[in-house]
Amino acid sequence: MEEIKEEFFSFPYHRGTITASVPGERVAAVLTPKGLTEGDGEQRDLVKEALDNPIGSASLSRLAEGKRKVVVITSDHTRAVPSSITMPLLLKEIRSGNSEAEVTILIATGLHRETSSDELLDRFGREIFQRERIVVHNVEREDDMVFIGDLPSGKGCSLNRLAVEADLLVTEGFIEPHFFAGFSGGRKSVLPGVASRETVNANHSASAIAHPLSKTGVLEGNPIHEDMLAAARLARVDFILNVVLDEEKRIVGAFAGDLDEAHRSGCAMVSSVAGVEKVVSDIVMTSNGGYPLDQNLYQAPKAISTAAECVRPGGAIVIAAACHDGFGGANFEKLMRIGDPRRIEEYLLSLSDEDTIPEQWSAQILSKVMSKATVILVSELDPGDVRSVGLVPASDMAEGLSLAEGIVGKNASITVIPDGVAVIVEGGMDR
C-alpha cells in the first residue's frame, strides 16, 4: 500500500502557533497572502519615509504649527498596531512643528472594554506610557460624547469630545481586509473607534451588515464604509498614518497623509498582497490570526467569514482562536445562546436600526455561517460553553480535523487558510 504523504501547517494562535498534519492528496489549496517582507532595520525607515512624503497633504510638522490641542487616535488592545515604532515618530513630527503642543493619545476602544494599564505599557513601551497623556475612550461616559452631524445613511453621529475639540486630529492604525467595512484602518479610528454607542450600533445594524456591498475588500458603494468616512470627515481628521503588516506583524508598508487618499493607497497595497482565488472544499482549516485578534470569540467571525467563502454547504470549518478573554461581550454571548442560528439571524434582521443591540453584528455573521456549515472551535474556552452557543469544541487542530471528517467523510477535500483575517477571497472554483 502506498504511504500517504502528510503536510504540516502552522496556524497563528495566541502569541505563538498551533500545528496540524493533513493528508497531502486531500489538500485542495493553501490560501496565503503573497510574500512581502522587509529586513529587521527597515520598519522604522518605512514609517519615516511615509511621514516625509505624505499623500495628498502637507507634512504633519507643518500642520502642527500653531496648533495647541493635538489629539492622536490609536487602536486598542484588540489590534496589532506597532505603536512602539509608529507613535514615537508621530510625536517627534508633531513636536518638530510645535514644541508647545499639548498632545493627548486617545485609545479607540469603540464598544470594547477599556484597555488596561498593562496593555498600554505593552503597546507603547515605558517611556511613552509614563511621559504622555493617554486617555482611553469609554463609551459608557455619555457626557464625553458630542453630536457633530448626520451621516449619509441619515443617522446621527456623536464622537468623543477630545477628538471633536482638537485643533489638530491625527490617527494611526493598520490596514488589513475587513469583513464588512472592506478594510480596516483610516476612518475606522473614528467610527467605531471613538464614537458613541448609538453611532456604532447604527453603523453596525443588521440591515447595514446584510447589504451586499458590506464585504471584504469593497469600499465603493459600501454603506458602512461611507458612513465611517463621513464621520471622520465631520471630525476633521487632519492626518493619518497607517501601516501594512506581514504575517509576523512586521511593518511592510506605510502610508501617511490625507484621510482618504493615504488610506486608499494602503488598501491598494493590501489588495495586491491579500487577494487569493477561492477554492471551495468540504473542510476549511483556518485561524483568527493569533494575538491580539483571537483574544475572544466575539472577534472570531472575521476569520470564520473568510472560511465560509471556501466551504461547501454542509461542510465543516475548523478554526483556531485562543479566546483567553472568553466570549468577549455579554450581548454577543446572550444572542448566541438562543441556539438555532436561523432563529438568531431572523431575529436580528427583524430589528430596526434604532433597536440595534450592541455586538449583534458578530452574532449575525456567525449565525449565518453556522447555517451553512458546522464550525469547530479550537480554543481555551470550556467545551460546555462552546457547545452552548452551537459550536463544536476541539482540543487541537488534529481533533478538529477528525471531528470534521466525522461530519463530511474521511476522504473530504481540505482548503487551508492559515490566517483567515489576512486574505481576501476572490472568484475562484468549487470542488
Side-chain angles (χ1 to χ4, degrees):
M1 179 181 293
E2 185 177 349
E3 183 179 352
I4 297 175
K5 184 179 180 181
E6 296 286 314
E7 292 189 29
F8 292 87
F9 298 97
S10 292
F11 301 82
Y13 187 78
H14 192 44
R15 295 182 184 272
T17 59
I18 191 170
T19 60
S21 172
V22 180
E25 78 281 0
R26 290 167 48 201
V27 177
V30 182
L31 306 183
T32 60
K34 301 174 183 68
L36 187 58
T37 58
E38 297 291 337
D40 286 344
E42 298 182 5
Q43 294 187 79
R44 189 178 183 279
D45 293 339
L46 286 171
V47 177
K48 184 69 167 59
E49 182 179 354
L51 291 171
D52 289 343
N53 299 278
I55 299 168
S57 169
S59 68
L60 182 54
S61 60
R62 183 173 177 183
L63 292 173
E65 293 175 2
K67 305 295 173 59
R68 184 172 65 88
K69 293 189 295 184
V70 179
V71 173
V72 181
I73 302 175
T74 188
S75 300
D76 71 359
H77 55 283
T78 66
R79 302 295 185 267
V81 180
S83 295
S84 61
I85 297 173
T86 54
M87 188 61 72
L89 293 172
L90 276 173
L91 295 175
K92 181 180 179 180
E93 189 76 6
I94 290 167
R95 287 172 174 141
S96 70
N98 182 1
S99 61
E100 301 300 316
E102 299 173 5
V103 179
T104 299
I105 298 172
L106 180 58
I107 309 299
T109 56
L111 300 186
H112 304 158
R113 67 165 173 82
E114 286 196 73
T115 304
S116 70
S117 294
D118 286 344
E119 288 165 336
L120 291 174
L121 179 60
D122 184 58
R123 166 61 58 85
F124 297 111
R126 188 164 300 279
E127 183 177 355
I128 286 180
F129 176 73
Q130 292 181 340
R131 185 187 68 199
E132 302 293 341
R133 182 192 184 211
I134 302 175
V135 177
V136 180
H137 172 75
N138 184 339
V139 75
E140 302 299 335
R141 298 189 188 122
E142 296 183 3
D143 289 345
D144 289 350
M145 308 304 156
V146 178
F147 177 78
I148 60 171
D150 291 325
L151 302 175
S153 64
K155 305 302 179 184
C157 178
S158 295
L159 303 176
N160 190 294
R161 185 182 303 277
L162 285 171
V164 173
E165 296 180 353
D167 299 323
L168 178 69
L169 185 59
V170 180
T171 73
E172 73 157 7
F174 79 108
I175 303 172
E176 66 178 354
H178 191 280
F179 63 144
F180 60 73
F183 295 89
S184 66
R187 69 284 185 250
K188 275 187 99 264
S189 294
V190 173
L191 174 58
V194 295
S196 70
R197 182 182 300 281
E198 293 75 19
T199 302
V200 177
N201 285 344
N203 185 251
H204 291 21
S205 68
S207 60
I209 295 292
H211 191 283
L213 294 179
S214 298
K215 58 189 294 187
T216 306
V218 175
L219 296 180
E220 299 301 329
N222 183 331
I224 294 176
H225 160 72
E226 290 173 351
D227 269 15
M228 288 178 172
L229 181 59
R233 283 176 168 156
L234 283 172
R236 296 176 295 107
V237 171
D238 297 287
F239 193 91
I240 74 167
L241 170 63
N242 279 188
V243 296
V244 177
L245 307 177
D246 66 10
E247 60 186 12
E248 302 296 328
K249 305 291 192 293
R250 292 172 41 77
I251 298 170
V252 292
F255 302 85
D258 178 75
L259 165 69
D260 192 34
E261 289 186 52
H263 181 247
R264 284 181 180 269
S265 295
C267 292
M269 178 183 181
V270 172
S271 291
S272 70
V273 173
V276 296
E277 184 181 20
K278 176 165 67 176
V279 179
V280 175
S281 298
D282 303 310
I283 298 170
V284 177
M285 302 181 72
T286 191
S287 81
N288 209 47
Y291 184 87
L293 203 55
D294 75 345
Q295 291 182 80
N296 55 52
L297 186 61
Y298 171 71
Q299 297 287 349
K302 294 182 175 180
I304 292 172
S305 65
T306 300
E309 294 287 329
C310 295
V311 70
R312 69 162 172 82
I317 295 168
V318 183
I319 177 168
C323 302
H324 281 281
D325 276 358
F327 283 93
N331 290 303
F332 164 67
E333 181 178 353
K334 183 177 180 180
L335 286 167
M336 291 307 304
R337 287 186 186 278
I338 290 174
D340 184 342
R342 289 179 176 82
R343 280 185 58 208
I344 297 171
E345 190 175 7
E346 289 171 1
Y347 168 64
L348 293 176
L349 288 171
S350 73
L351 298 176
S352 67
D353 290 356
E354 291 73 21
D355 292 329
T356 295
I357 301 168
E359 304 157 9
Q360 74 172 44
W361 64 265
S362 186
Q364 180 180 355
I365 292 171
L366 181 52
S367 61
K368 184 174 182 178
V369 175
M370 291 166 63
S371 295
K372 179 182 182 181
T374 301
V375 179
I376 300 167
L377 177 66
V378 178
S379 74
E380 306 303 314
L381 292 172
D382 180 89
D385 287 337
V386 175
R387 294 188 190 95
S388 74
V389 294
L391 307 180
V392 178
S395 59
D396 54 30
M397 296 300 274
E399 183 185 9
L401 178 58
S402 177
L403 290 169
E405 290 171 337
I407 295 167
V408 299
K410 287 287 186 181
N411 295 317
S413 58
I414 303 168
T415 294
V416 178
I417 312 176
D419 185 345
V421 186
V423 299
I424 301 172
V425 177
E426 305 168 338
M429 60 182 179
D430 292 356
R431 278 174 59 98

